[in-house]
Amino acid sequence: MDLSPAASLRSRITVALGRTARLVSRLRGGGSGGTALPGLVVEKLDPGFLARTLGQLPMGVVVVSGTNGKTTTTKMVVQLLREQGLKVLTNRSGSNFVRGVLASLLTEVDAGGRLSHDVAVLELDEAHAVRFVRLIKPRHALLLNVMRDQLDRFGEIDYTASLLHKVALATTGSVVVNADDPRLGADAFTGDLTARVASFGAGPALRSLFLSDDDLRTGAASPQDDADTASSADSATAEAPANPTTSTSATPTPRVSLQSLSGQDAVVRVDGADHDVAFTIPGIHNQLNACAALAVALETLGDEADLAGLLTTLASVQAAFGRGEVLTLDGRDVQLSLVKNPAGFRMGLLTAAEAVRSGGPESVMIAINDEYADGRDMSWLWDVEFAGLRTEGVAVVTGVRAWDMALRLRYDEVPIGTVEPDLTRAVALLRRAASAADDGAGRPMRIFTTYTAMLALRAHLAELTDVEEALT
């Protein structure tokens, strides 16, 4: 879409003012950050800038939303599409409010507000996704899951599902949903959509690993059951459907599904055919997210999709910062695992248990904050089962709510080395514990961390080792 002279002039002024605000924000912030102020400036001065700019994209906008996995899955979708030859615009590092999208646009447009990209892939917070689709309708939407998360912001889980339903209703091309989520995969959610409905999910052998919010509250599977399932999943098979795009319900049989796992080796079913994929990315939750990313990439590319190339890319996708990211410190691995609700923490613990089985014990730290971006209500920690940490214990508990976390671990009889609310001192204690473990041979380290604690930890770790910059 070409801009009219008047629209081009307005965009030119908006870009100049927004970039000035970005520069001021970065200078005030010591050279980092800079998403809130420039986004606010653009939003207030030129409400039509978002639609006018993104409307130029020939392949439109792909929205990724849901409770868990947005940042990593968005990164995967971007990589899949880029390696298929597309020029992809995205919002980095989880800047997933409308203002974050606007700030990202300021770094991508030319001085006149023109884009040279083919498609945008945007991670959006559930509430802000609704605001976004009022301004511009997405071509495709990927809706990952609905879990109880940040109830102080969203209220009950059905309200969160209703937000995602509004996003789906506004989507014009295709909506890809989690077939195993009882809210997103239900006829009540998909039945009135005008866009094509596709889905992703887990095969029968892995279904008990990926519990929905309802499953967590009915005790559908215990952590030990899950571990047994994970270790034997590579031998499980399921019959491929005759027609993978049709079903008796409004939600079709998954176009892409994770059929089995054995360590990093997986079988991924695509349109009824099974493919072996040796994943690089750690974490069973990330491997399911990779299937979600592949599903929406196939929908976006349509007949132009090169499946063999997509599967090659899928094997090499990496986690986003802090979401299973692996750093090196003192010659040993440090894995950061973002946790923000029971389901996410549960999947992180399962991943850690698998790592211990295959590679030996780790020194563990848990960092819990309760800032706005984390969610202020930390009672969700009582919905997580920590018994799997009893054998080796937790070396350090830290963060604003360190003592609350320590109390929760005590109820599950998990030994604790030290409680140290200060994050910097806690890292030093973790390094000391890891170095001294196993008669001085040392252990790899794993940090379970809420969002704001993760940002602070990455900043501190960047002073000690190489850490990829998280651009915003």
Side-chain angles (χ1 to χ4, degrees):
M1 179 184 79
D2 293 329
L3 296 178
S4 68
S8 181
L9 176 60
R10 184 163 191 183
S11 289
R12 187 177 295 275
I13 295 170
T14 298
V15 170
L17 292 173
R19 287 178 175 172
T20 299
R22 181 178 177 83
L23 177 61
V24 170
S25 180
R26 290 180 70 86
L27 289 173
R28 291 179 61 187
S32 63
T35 59
L37 179 60
L40 176 62
V41 168
V42 173
E43 190 174 37
K44 296 297 185 183
L45 294 182
D46 189 356
F49 180 78
L50 185 72
R52 191 166 66 245
T53 306
L54 294 179
Q56 302 172 46
L57 297 169
M59 297 179 67
V61 176
V62 180
V63 165
V64 180
S65 195
T67 304
N68 290 330
K70 295 185 290 294
T71 300
T72 291
T73 306
T74 299
K75 183 175 184 286
M76 292 175 180
V77 177
V78 170
Q79 186 174 342
L80 287 168
L81 295 181
R82 282 178 176 164
E83 295 195 19
Q84 293 280 297
L86 298 183
K87 188 171 183 182
V88 184
L89 181 150
T90 190
N91 51 330
R92 301 182 182 94
S93 303
S95 303
N96 58 16
F97 289 9
V98 173
R99 291 173 187 174
V101 175
L102 287 167
S104 295
L105 282 177
L106 291 173
T107 68
E108 302 293 340
V109 296
D110 66 14
R114 289 178 291 270
L115 287 171
S116 60
H117 299 71
D118 299 303
V119 64
V121 179
L122 303 174
E123 172 195 347
L124 288 169
D125 166 272
E126 298 94 311
H128 283 261
V130 175
R131 290 188 55 211
F132 178 89
V133 300
R134 293 192 192 116
L135 301 172
I136 185 165
K137 294 184 182 299
R139 187 82 55 88
H140 307 282
L142 172 58
L143 308 179
L144 296 168
N145 42 56
V146 182
M147 309 294 290
R148 283 177 172 83
D149 181 53
Q150 298 190 35
L151 296 185
D152 52 311
R153 289 185 59 212
F154 292 122
E156 263 305 311
I157 189 171
D158 290 326
Y159 174 68
T160 305
S162 73
L163 295 176
L164 295 182
H165 185 244
K166 291 176 181 177
V167 175
L169 285 171
T171 303
T172 61
S174 68
V175 177
V176 179
V177 298
N178 185 342
D180 301 324
D181 189 292
R183 288 167 177 81
L184 301 183
D187 290 358
F189 188 92
T190 60
D192 60 349
L193 303 184
T194 57
R196 164 186 160 84
V197 177
S199 67
F200 70 95
L206 301 179
R207 179 63 188 88
S208 66
L209 286 176
F210 302 101
L211 300 187
S212 69
D213 193 90
D214 293 352
D215 293 334
L216 285 170
R217 277 150 183 78
T218 58
S222 68
Q224 183 59 48
D225 293 336
D226 297 335
D228 293 341
T229 302
S231 63
S232 63
D234 56 317
S235 63
T237 59
E239 183 179 353
N243 184 346
T245 61
T246 60
S247 172
T248 55
S249 68
T251 303
T253 300
R255 183 169 189 187
V256 180
S257 60
L258 187 63
Q259 290 294 312
S260 70
L261 278 173
S262 179
Q264 298 293 98
D265 297 328
V267 173
V268 176
R269 180 167 294 167
V270 183
D271 294 335
D274 287 349
H275 305 269
D276 294 327
V277 177
F279 281 107
T280 301
I281 194 168
I284 56 177
H285 54 299
N286 283 328
Q287 289 152 8
L288 183 64
N289 290 338
C291 292
L294 177 58
V296 80
L298 289 168
E299 292 293 321
T300 303
L301 292 161
D303 294 339
E304 301 300 316
D306 170 16
L307 180 58
L310 287 167
L311 290 170
T312 298
T313 302
L314 200 70
S316 66
V317 293
Q318 298 287 339
F321 78 102
R323 282 82 168 171
E325 179 183 26
V326 180
L327 310 175
T328 301
L329 181 63
D330 302 330
R332 288 184 288 278
D333 286 347
V334 183
Q335 184 159 139
L336 300 179
S337 180
L338 179 68
V339 295
K340 58 178 186 149
N341 56 36
F345 215 142
R346 177 180 174 278
M347 298 309 293
L349 290 168
L350 284 174
T351 297
E354 178 61 29
V356 169
R357 278 194 295 271
S358 60
E362 302 173 325
S363 292
V364 173
M365 182 166 86
I366 302 179
I368 303 295
N369 280 0
D370 64 350
E371 306 298 338
Y372 176 76
D374 306 302
R376 306 307 302 271
D377 179 5
M378 304 308 295
S379 62
W380 63 266
L381 292 170
W382 293 87
D383 292 328
V384 183
E385 172 61 62
F386 293 99
L389 296 174
R390 285 176 187 162
T391 301
E392 300 297 334
V394 173
V396 186
V397 179
T398 186
V400 176
R401 300 296 287 269
W403 291 104
D404 298 78
M405 185 69 243
L407 178 64
R408 176 68 191 93
L409 292 173
R410 182 173 182 178
Y411 269 83
D412 273 357
E413 301 177 355
V414 176
I416 300 169
T418 307
V419 179
E420 172 50 72
D422 182 84
L423 292 172
T424 300
R425 289 197 289 267
V427 169
L429 290 167
L430 177 65
R431 296 171 71 187
R432 190 180 308 162
S435 297
D438 299 335
D439 296 325
R443 291 180 179 179
M445 294 165 274
R446 183 179 299 269
I447 303 175
F448 297 104
T449 173
T450 54
Y451 183 72
T452 63
M454 181 264 291
L455 295 178
L457 286 167
R458 288 184 93 258
H460 177 57
L461 289 169
E463 300 172 357
L464 307 172
T465 187
D466 293 332
V467 177
E468 181 182 357
E469 182 182 1
L471 299 175
T472 58

mmCIF file of all heavy atoms in Angstrom, residues 307-325:
data_model
loop_
_atom_site.group_PDB
_atom_site.id
_atom_site.type_symbol
_atom_site.label_atom_id
_atom_site.label_comp_id
_atom_site.label_asym_id
_atom_site.label_seq_id
_atom_site.Cartn_x
_atom_site.Cartn_y
_atom_site.Cartn_z
ATOM 1 N N LEU A 307 8.422 -27.445 3.148
ATOM 2 C CA LEU A 307 8.342 -28.172 4.410
ATOM 3 C C LEU A 307 9.702 -28.710 4.837
ATOM 4 O O LEU A 307 10.063 -28.630 6.022
ATOM 5 C CB LEU A 307 7.327 -29.308 4.313
ATOM 6 C CG LEU A 307 7.160 -30.151 5.582
ATOM 7 C CD1 LEU A 307 6.754 -29.284 6.767
ATOM 8 C CD2 LEU A 307 6.143 -31.261 5.355
ATOM 9 N N ALA A 308 10.470 -29.248 3.905
ATOM 10 C CA ALA A 308 11.783 -29.788 4.269
ATOM 11 C C ALA A 308 12.665 -28.694 4.873
ATOM 12 O O ALA A 308 13.342 -28.903 5.886
ATOM 13 C CB ALA A 308 12.459 -30.404 3.043
ATOM 14 N N GLY A 309 12.640 -27.511 4.273
ATOM 15 C CA GLY A 309 13.414 -26.399 4.802
ATOM 16 C C GLY A 309 12.904 -25.945 6.153
ATOM 17 O O GLY A 309 13.693 -25.617 7.053
ATOM 18 N N LEU A 310 11.586 -25.924 6.326
ATOM 19 C CA LEU A 310 11.005 -25.528 7.606
ATOM 20 C C LEU A 310 11.402 -26.493 8.723
ATOM 21 O O LEU A 310 11.717 -26.076 9.843
ATOM 22 C CB LEU A 310 9.480 -25.466 7.497
ATOM 23 C CG LEU A 310 8.907 -24.282 6.717
ATOM 24 C CD1 LEU A 310 7.431 -24.505 6.412
ATOM 25 C CD2 LEU A 310 9.087 -22.979 7.500
ATOM 26 N N LEU A 311 11.415 -27.791 8.422
ATOM 27 C CA LEU A 311 11.793 -28.783 9.433
ATOM 28 C C LEU A 311 13.269 -28.667 9.794
ATOM 29 O O LEU A 311 13.655 -28.848 10.954
ATOM 30 C CB LEU A 311 11.472 -30.190 8.932
ATOM 31 C CG LEU A 311 9.976 -30.521 8.849
ATOM 32 C CD1 LEU A 311 9.757 -31.829 8.115
ATOM 33 C CD2 LEU A 311 9.353 -30.585 10.244
ATOM 34 N N THR A 312 14.100 -28.341 8.818
ATOM 35 C CA THR A 312 15.523 -28.114 9.106
ATOM 36 C C THR A 312 15.703 -26.922 10.036
ATOM 37 O O THR A 312 16.473 -26.962 10.997
ATOM 38 C CB THR A 312 16.300 -27.888 7.799
ATOM 39 O OG1 THR A 312 16.207 -29.064 6.982
ATOM 40 C CG2 THR A 312 17.768 -27.589 8.075
ATOM 41 N N THR A 313 14.978 -25.850 9.750
ATOM 42 C CA THR A 313 15.029 -24.671 10.614
ATOM 43 C C THR A 313 14.491 -24.984 12.001
ATOM 44 O O THR A 313 15.041 -24.537 13.015
ATOM 45 C CB THR A 313 14.226 -23.517 9.996
ATOM 46 O OG1 THR A 313 14.746 -23.216 8.701
ATOM 47 C CG2 THR A 313 14.288 -22.268 10.858
ATOM 48 N N LEU A 314 13.406 -25.761 12.048
ATOM 49 C CA LEU A 314 12.778 -26.098 13.332
ATOM 50 C C LEU A 314 13.781 -26.775 14.265
ATOM 51 O O LEU A 314 13.774 -26.532 15.474
ATOM 52 C CB LEU A 314 11.575 -27.011 13.088
ATOM 53 C CG LEU A 314 10.539 -27.088 14.203
ATOM 54 C CD1 LEU A 314 9.780 -25.776 14.310
ATOM 55 C CD2 LEU A 314 9.574 -28.240 13.954
ATOM 56 N N ALA A 315 14.643 -27.619 13.696
ATOM 57 C CA ALA A 315 15.620 -28.326 14.518
ATOM 58 C C ALA A 315 16.644 -27.385 15.141
ATOM 59 O O ALA A 315 17.233 -27.708 16.174
ATOM 60 C CB ALA A 315 16.332 -29.384 13.678
ATOM 61 N N SER A 316 16.836 -26.218 14.539
ATOM 62 C CA SER A 316 17.899 -25.324 15.007
ATOM 63 C C SER A 316 17.402 -24.117 15.786
ATOM 64 O O SER A 316 18.207 -23.294 16.226
ATOM 65 C CB SER A 316 18.713 -24.832 13.799
ATOM 66 O OG SER A 316 17.917 -24.009 12.952
ATOM 67 N N VAL A 317 16.083 -23.978 15.990
ATOM 68 C CA VAL A 317 15.570 -22.791 16.678
ATOM 69 C C VAL A 317 16.080 -22.753 18.105
ATOM 70 O O VAL A 317 16.315 -23.783 18.741
ATOM 71 C CB VAL A 317 14.025 -22.748 16.664
ATOM 72 C CG1 VAL A 317 13.502 -22.546 15.246
ATOM 73 C CG2 VAL A 317 13.426 -24.001 17.286
ATOM 74 N N GLN A 318 16.265 -21.523 18.607
ATOM 75 C CA GLN A 318 16.808 -21.311 19.941
ATOM 76 C C GLN A 318 15.762 -20.637 20.828
ATOM 77 O O GLN A 318 14.848 -19.980 20.338
ATOM 78 C CB GLN A 318 18.055 -20.429 19.870
ATOM 79 C CG GLN A 318 19.195 -21.027 19.066
ATOM 80 C CD GLN A 318 19.890 -22.164 19.785
ATOM 81 O OE1 GLN A 318 19.803 -22.280 21.004
ATOM 82 N NE2 GLN A 318 20.598 -22.996 19.036
ATOM 83 N N ALA A 319 15.948 -20.765 22.140
ATOM 84 C CA ALA A 319 15.054 -20.114 23.087
ATOM 85 C C ALA A 319 15.286 -18.610 23.083
ATOM 86 O O ALA A 319 16.383 -18.132 22.797
ATOM 87 C CB ALA A 319 15.272 -20.673 24.489
ATOM 88 N N ALA A 320 14.242 -17.858 23.402
ATOM 89 C CA ALA A 320 14.386 -16.422 23.597
ATOM 90 C C ALA A 320 15.082 -16.164 24.928
ATOM 91 O O ALA A 320 15.187 -17.049 25.780
ATOM 92 C CB ALA A 320 13.015 -15.750 23.567
ATOM 93 N N PHE A 321 15.542 -14.935 25.112
ATOM 94 C CA PHE A 321 16.321 -14.631 26.306
ATOM 95 C C PHE A 321 15.532 -14.952 27.575
ATOM 96 O O PHE A 321 14.374 -14.618 27.708
ATOM 97 C CB PHE A 321 16.774 -13.163 26.301
ATOM 98 C CG PHE A 321 15.720 -12.166 26.694
ATOM 99 C CD1 PHE A 321 15.719 -11.612 27.961
ATOM 100 C CD2 PHE A 321 14.722 -11.771 25.805
ATOM 101 C CE1 PHE A 321 14.759 -10.687 28.336
ATOM 102 C CE2 PHE A 321 13.758 -10.849 26.170
ATOM 103 C CZ PHE A 321 13.776 -10.305 27.442
ATOM 104 N N GLY A 322 16.219 -15.667 28.483
ATOM 105 C CA GLY A 322 15.620 -16.008 29.771
ATOM 106 C C GLY A 322 14.648 -17.170 29.733
ATOM 107 O O GLY A 322 14.190 -17.624 30.772
ATOM 108 N N ARG A 323 14.320 -17.670 28.547
ATOM 109 C CA ARG A 323 13.339 -18.760 28.429
ATOM 110 C C ARG A 323 14.045 -20.057 28.059
ATOM 111 O O ARG A 323 13.944 -20.556 26.948
ATOM 112 C CB ARG A 323 12.294 -18.449 27.363
ATOM 113 C CG ARG A 323 11.195 -17.483 27.776
ATOM 114 C CD ARG A 323 11.587 -16.062 27.667
ATOM 115 N NE ARG A 323 10.408 -15.185 27.812
ATOM 116 C CZ ARG A 323 10.494 -13.877 27.920
ATOM 117 N NH1 ARG A 323 11.665 -13.273 27.931
ATOM 118 N NH2 ARG A 323 9.396 -13.160 28.029
ATOM 119 N N GLY A 324 14.832 -20.593 28.987
ATOM 120 C CA GLY A 324 15.635 -21.764 28.673
ATOM 121 C C GLY A 324 16.989 -21.377 28.106
ATOM 122 O O GLY A 324 17.744 -22.238 27.650
ATOM 123 N N GLU A 325 17.311 -20.094 28.149
ATOM 124 C CA GLU A 325 18.588 -19.593 27.656
ATOM 125 C C GLU A 325 19.732 -20.201 28.480
ATOM 126 O O GLU A 325 19.657 -20.303 29.698
ATOM 127 C CB GLU A 325 18.589 -18.075 27.797
ATOM 128 C CG GLU A 325 19.857 -17.389 27.359
ATOM 129 C CD GLU A 325 19.786 -15.891 27.601
ATOM 130 O OE1 GLU A 325 19.021 -15.476 28.507
ATOM 131 O OE2 GLU A 325 20.473 -15.146 26.899
#
